[in-house]
mmCIF file of all heavy atoms in Angstrom:
data_model
loop_
_atom_site.group_PDB
_atom_site.id
_atom_site.type_symbol
_atom_site.label_atom_id
_atom_site.label_comp_id
_atom_site.label_asym_id
_atom_site.label_seq_id
_atom_site.Cartn_x
_atom_site.Cartn_y
_atom_site.Cartn_z
ATOM 1 N N ASP A 103 5.862 -15.780 -15.105
ATOM 2 C CA ASP A 103 4.732 -16.226 -14.443
ATOM 3 C C ASP A 103 4.704 -15.997 -12.943
ATOM 4 O O ASP A 103 5.769 -16.165 -12.320
ATOM 5 C CB ASP A 103 4.474 -17.744 -14.701
ATOM 6 C CG ASP A 103 4.208 -18.081 -16.152
ATOM 7 O OD1 ASP A 103 3.588 -17.214 -16.846
ATOM 8 O OD2 ASP A 103 4.520 -19.165 -16.711
ATOM 9 N N ILE A 104 3.700 -15.704 -12.405
ATOM 10 C CA ILE A 104 3.615 -15.367 -10.879
ATOM 11 C C ILE A 104 3.563 -16.841 -10.191
ATOM 12 O O ILE A 104 2.723 -17.721 -10.502
ATOM 13 C CB ILE A 104 2.202 -14.694 -10.466
ATOM 14 C CG1 ILE A 104 2.324 -13.296 -11.110
ATOM 15 C CG2 ILE A 104 2.094 -14.606 -9.009
ATOM 16 C CD1 ILE A 104 1.008 -12.543 -10.984
ATOM 17 N N LYS A 105 4.504 -17.056 -9.245
ATOM 18 C CA LYS A 105 4.536 -18.231 -8.617
ATOM 19 C C LYS A 105 5.190 -18.166 -7.175
ATOM 20 O O LYS A 105 5.878 -17.190 -6.922
ATOM 21 C CB LYS A 105 5.443 -19.327 -9.342
ATOM 22 C CG LYS A 105 6.834 -19.007 -9.668
ATOM 23 C CD LYS A 105 7.508 -20.062 -10.491
ATOM 24 C CE LYS A 105 8.936 -19.656 -10.767
ATOM 25 N NZ LYS A 105 9.743 -20.606 -11.597
ATOM 26 N N GLU A 106 4.797 -19.068 -6.340
ATOM 27 C CA GLU A 106 5.449 -19.170 -4.996
ATOM 28 C C GLU A 106 6.034 -20.527 -4.753
ATOM 29 O O GLU A 106 5.554 -21.434 -5.089
ATOM 30 C CB GLU A 106 4.273 -18.909 -4.064
ATOM 31 C CG GLU A 106 3.630 -17.504 -3.971
ATOM 32 C CD GLU A 106 2.650 -17.388 -2.925
ATOM 33 O OE1 GLU A 106 1.608 -18.121 -3.128
ATOM 34 O OE2 GLU A 106 2.804 -16.557 -2.008
ATOM 35 N N GLU A 107 7.191 -20.505 -4.239
ATOM 36 C CA GLU A 107 7.890 -21.749 -3.937
ATOM 37 C C GLU A 107 8.285 -21.752 -2.371
ATOM 38 O O GLU A 107 8.724 -20.784 -1.830
ATOM 39 C CB GLU A 107 9.203 -21.799 -4.746
ATOM 40 C CG GLU A 107 9.124 -21.847 -6.255
ATOM 41 C CD GLU A 107 10.296 -22.044 -6.963
ATOM 42 O OE1 GLU A 107 11.187 -22.847 -6.511
ATOM 43 O OE2 GLU A 107 10.540 -21.421 -8.035
ATOM 44 N N GLU A 108 8.022 -22.954 -1.827
ATOM 45 C CA GLU A 108 8.270 -23.096 -0.417
ATOM 46 C C GLU A 108 9.775 -22.683 0.012
ATOM 47 O O GLU A 108 10.687 -23.119 -0.751
ATOM 48 C CB GLU A 108 8.105 -24.584 -0.056
ATOM 49 C CG GLU A 108 8.128 -24.876 1.404
ATOM 50 C CD GLU A 108 6.886 -24.345 2.131
ATOM 51 O OE1 GLU A 108 5.840 -24.336 1.541
ATOM 52 O OE2 GLU A 108 6.893 -24.092 3.339
ATOM 53 N N GLY A 109 9.835 -21.915 0.968
ATOM 54 C CA GLY A 109 11.182 -21.467 1.451
ATOM 55 C C GLY A 109 11.815 -20.348 0.714
ATOM 56 O O GLY A 109 13.032 -19.961 1.072
ATOM 57 N N LYS A 110 11.216 -19.737 -0.284
ATOM 58 C CA LYS A 110 11.750 -18.782 -1.149
ATOM 59 C C LYS A 110 10.935 -17.477 -1.125
ATOM 60 O O LYS A 110 9.575 -17.635 -0.893
ATOM 61 C CB LYS A 110 11.851 -19.200 -2.639
ATOM 62 C CG LYS A 110 12.944 -20.396 -2.803
ATOM 63 C CD LYS A 110 13.169 -20.599 -4.243
ATOM 64 C CE LYS A 110 14.256 -21.629 -4.409
ATOM 65 N NZ LYS A 110 14.299 -22.053 -5.828
ATOM 66 N N LEU A 111 11.377 -16.341 -1.471
ATOM 67 C CA LEU A 111 10.557 -15.134 -1.464
ATOM 68 C C LEU A 111 9.732 -15.401 -2.796
ATOM 69 O O LEU A 111 10.117 -15.835 -3.848
ATOM 70 C CB LEU A 111 11.519 -13.949 -1.828
ATOM 71 C CG LEU A 111 12.053 -13.242 -0.547
ATOM 72 C CD1 LEU A 111 13.051 -12.210 -0.965
ATOM 73 C CD2 LEU A 111 10.886 -12.619 0.312
ATOM 74 N N PRO A 112 8.529 -14.967 -2.802
ATOM 75 C CA PRO A 112 7.633 -14.916 -4.048
ATOM 76 C C PRO A 112 8.343 -14.119 -5.110
ATOM 77 O O PRO A 112 9.018 -13.180 -4.878
ATOM 78 C CB PRO A 112 6.393 -14.204 -3.545
ATOM 79 C CG PRO A 112 6.289 -14.286 -2.089
ATOM 80 C CD PRO A 112 7.712 -14.276 -1.566
ATOM 81 N N ASN A 113 8.120 -14.633 -6.273
ATOM 82 C CA ASN A 113 8.720 -13.879 -7.428
ATOM 83 C C ASN A 113 8.058 -12.604 -7.855
ATOM 84 O O ASN A 113 8.356 -11.966 -8.757
ATOM 85 C CB ASN A 113 8.906 -14.858 -8.614
ATOM 86 C CG ASN A 113 7.650 -15.108 -9.327
ATOM 87 O OD1 ASN A 113 6.548 -14.929 -8.809
ATOM 88 N ND2 ASN A 113 7.739 -15.656 -10.618
ATOM 89 N N THR A 114 7.005 -12.214 -7.011
ATOM 90 C CA THR A 114 6.303 -10.886 -7.089
ATOM 91 C C THR A 114 7.132 -9.818 -6.363
ATOM 92 O O THR A 114 6.811 -8.649 -6.341
ATOM 93 C CB THR A 114 4.900 -10.947 -6.702
ATOM 94 O OG1 THR A 114 4.929 -11.479 -5.394
ATOM 95 C CG2 THR A 114 4.139 -11.719 -7.612
ATOM 96 N N PHE A 115 8.158 -10.206 -5.582
ATOM 97 C CA PHE A 115 8.933 -9.308 -4.757
ATOM 98 C C PHE A 115 9.816 -8.448 -5.740
ATOM 99 O O PHE A 115 10.489 -9.001 -6.434
ATOM 100 C CB PHE A 115 9.798 -9.984 -3.674
ATOM 101 C CG PHE A 115 10.659 -9.109 -2.978
ATOM 102 C CD1 PHE A 115 10.178 -8.194 -2.110
ATOM 103 C CD2 PHE A 115 12.065 -9.233 -2.984
ATOM 104 C CE1 PHE A 115 11.029 -7.330 -1.360
ATOM 105 C CE2 PHE A 115 12.952 -8.479 -2.299
ATOM 106 C CZ PHE A 115 12.310 -7.416 -1.528
ATOM 107 N N VAL A 116 9.795 -7.149 -5.525
ATOM 108 C CA VAL A 116 10.714 -6.230 -6.249
ATOM 109 C C VAL A 116 11.756 -5.637 -5.339
ATOM 110 O O VAL A 116 11.328 -4.961 -4.395
ATOM 111 C CB VAL A 116 9.803 -5.028 -6.770
ATOM 112 C CG1 VAL A 116 10.740 -4.207 -7.734
ATOM 113 C CG2 VAL A 116 8.752 -5.696 -7.821
ATOM 114 N N ASP A 117 13.001 -6.070 -5.558
ATOM 115 C CA ASP A 117 13.999 -5.576 -4.659
ATOM 116 C C ASP A 117 14.136 -4.024 -4.538
ATOM 117 O O ASP A 117 14.027 -3.373 -5.552
ATOM 118 C CB ASP A 117 15.375 -6.049 -5.173
ATOM 119 C CG ASP A 117 15.653 -7.525 -4.872
ATOM 120 O OD1 ASP A 117 15.471 -8.013 -3.799
ATOM 121 O OD2 ASP A 117 16.036 -8.262 -5.853
ATOM 122 N N GLY A 118 14.103 -3.667 -3.325
ATOM 123 C CA GLY A 118 14.313 -2.104 -3.051
ATOM 124 C C GLY A 118 13.033 -1.307 -3.164
ATOM 125 O O GLY A 118 13.129 -0.008 -3.180
ATOM 126 N N ARG A 119 11.958 -1.950 -3.552
ATOM 127 C CA ARG A 119 10.743 -1.165 -3.841
ATOM 128 C C ARG A 119 10.267 -0.190 -2.741
ATOM 129 O O ARG A 119 10.204 0.986 -2.939
ATOM 130 C CB ARG A 119 9.473 -2.055 -4.410
ATOM 131 C CG ARG A 119 8.334 -1.143 -4.769
ATOM 132 C CD ARG A 119 7.319 -2.125 -5.367
ATOM 133 N NE ARG A 119 6.834 -3.120 -4.458
ATOM 134 C CZ ARG A 119 5.658 -3.777 -4.570
ATOM 135 N NH1 ARG A 119 5.016 -3.564 -5.734
ATOM 136 N NH2 ARG A 119 5.209 -4.676 -3.718
ATOM 137 N N ASN A 120 10.049 -0.793 -1.619
ATOM 138 C CA ASN A 120 9.527 0.097 -0.471
ATOM 139 C C ASN A 120 10.558 0.999 0.020
ATOM 140 O O ASN A 120 10.319 2.114 0.408
ATOM 141 C CB ASN A 120 9.090 -0.829 0.664
ATOM 142 C CG ASN A 120 7.680 -1.384 0.326
ATOM 143 O OD1 ASN A 120 6.896 -0.927 -0.542
ATOM 144 N ND2 ASN A 120 7.300 -2.467 1.007
ATOM 145 N N HIS A 121 11.788 0.515 -0.004
ATOM 146 C CA HIS A 121 12.969 1.435 0.439
ATOM 147 C C HIS A 121 12.882 2.667 -0.501
ATOM 148 O O HIS A 121 12.999 3.867 0.056
ATOM 149 C CB HIS A 121 14.328 0.663 0.241
ATOM 150 C CG HIS A 121 15.426 1.481 0.629
ATOM 151 N ND1 HIS A 121 16.723 0.962 0.502
ATOM 152 C CD2 HIS A 121 15.553 2.697 1.268
ATOM 153 C CE1 HIS A 121 17.616 1.867 0.971
ATOM 154 N NE2 HIS A 121 16.951 2.934 1.449
#
Side-chain angles (χ1 to χ4, degrees):
D103 293 333
I104 296 169
K105 61 182 180 180
E106 294 179 297
E107 296 182 41
E108 188 73 27
K110 293 184 179 180
L111 277 173
N113 71 344
T114 50
F115 176 64
V116 181
D117 283 313
R119 183 173 61 164
N120 284 341
H121 183 186

